[in-house]
DNA sequence: CCTTCGTTTCGTAATTTTACGAAATACGAA
DNA sequence: TTCGTATTTCGTAAAATTACGAAACGAAGG
């Protein structure tokens, strides 16, 4: 039972998931910042980026759901950082994909 | 005039565009095939992939619009291949992005 | 306890994506 | 010219994405 036979490979689905997370310029921008300097707070981003804070929050949520980014509670702020493990996985998947 | 001041960089927008093209497993799958073996026909893909031909055609159109794939008319078929130039650009963008 | 700060969730609306089958198109062959 | 093959476009519908402001939330400070 339960033998649905998935057509796409695990790698293909993972890559599509990461690609989806990066399919909006603001999310690429956020990852650029996090990968270059370090972690940062939602409020810091909100001051730079030309979108509403609530919209930014949604994008951060998507990045968290994809696994590329994680948020550490640091009251009263929340510090966002790359999830190094998943970042490395995505890097590897794209590298393999393109070669 | 026309000085709208774009917030995101050209690279960020390009990467987001390529990422969007790869944000669905079937499109990753198609690119996998094209990058591994060679070119192929829509009909060949249609026999493998578990979606309607018209839906497949839409996905191919998106890949064409992104620039990653190109189609050569070869009556009565259409042969799809990677666009090597844009493929290399995407590869480079992702490489830079992840490092 | 009440307020403030930083952030997210809710409610909503417009747009885009994904999917299908039917119809249209393009072209070579009969 | 009519037929058959290969593929795309059209029409449509359901679901997801993107965006905003208002409201809610949790923790620290007065």
């Amino acid at each position: 039972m339960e033998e649905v036979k998935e057509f796409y490979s695990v790698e293909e689905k993972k890559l599509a998931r990461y690609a989806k997370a990066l399919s909006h310029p603001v999310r690429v921008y956020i990852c650029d910042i996090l990968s270059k300097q370090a972690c940062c707070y939602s409020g810091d981003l909100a001051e730079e980026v030309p979108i509403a804070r609530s919209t930014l929050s949604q994008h951060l949520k998507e990045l968290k759901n994809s696994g590329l980014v994680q948020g550490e509670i640091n009251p009263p702020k929340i510090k966002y950082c790359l999830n190094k493990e998943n970042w490395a996985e995505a890097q590897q998947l794209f590298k393999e994909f393109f070669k």
Side-chain angles (χ1 to χ4, degrees), chain A:
Chain A
M1 17 331 236
E2 185 57 66
E3 176 60 40
V4 183
K5 194 194 292 186
E6 258 300 341
F7 180 77
Y8 306 108
S9 73
V10 174
E11 285 74 23
E12 284 160 352
K13 285 186 287 184
K14 274 189 182 173
L15 194 138
R17 239 172 84 84
Y18 286 131
K20 192 168 188 177
L22 299 173
S23 69
H24 191 291
V26 75
R27 296 198 290 265
V28 175
Y29 177 85
I30 292 167
C31 288
D32 263 345
I33 288 184
L34 295 183
S35 73
K36 271 170 191 147
Q37 55 176 50
C39 306
C40 66
Y41 299 104
S42 175
D44 302 339
L45 290 169
E47 280 164 25
E48 291 188 63
V49 160
I51 57 175
R53 278 159 198 268
S54 55
T55 307
L56 173 61
S57 193
Q58 275 183 104
H59 286 297
L60 286 168
K61 191 177 176 183
E62 274 191 71
L63 284 172
K64 270 193 288 185
N65 287 342
S66 78
L68 286 177
V69 161
Q70 63 193 111
E72 296 170 18
I73 312 173
N74 196 355
K77 299 181 174 185
I78 295 177
K79 191 165 68 172
Y80 285 98
C81 310
L82 290 186
N83 180 314
K84 305 236 173 180
E85 195 177 334
N86 291 331
W87 185 261
E89 182 184 55
Q91 180 178 40
Q92 184 60 25
L93 283 167
F94 279 99
K95 187 180 164 190
E96 284 297 320
F97 176 75
F98 279 112
K99 94 177 177 191

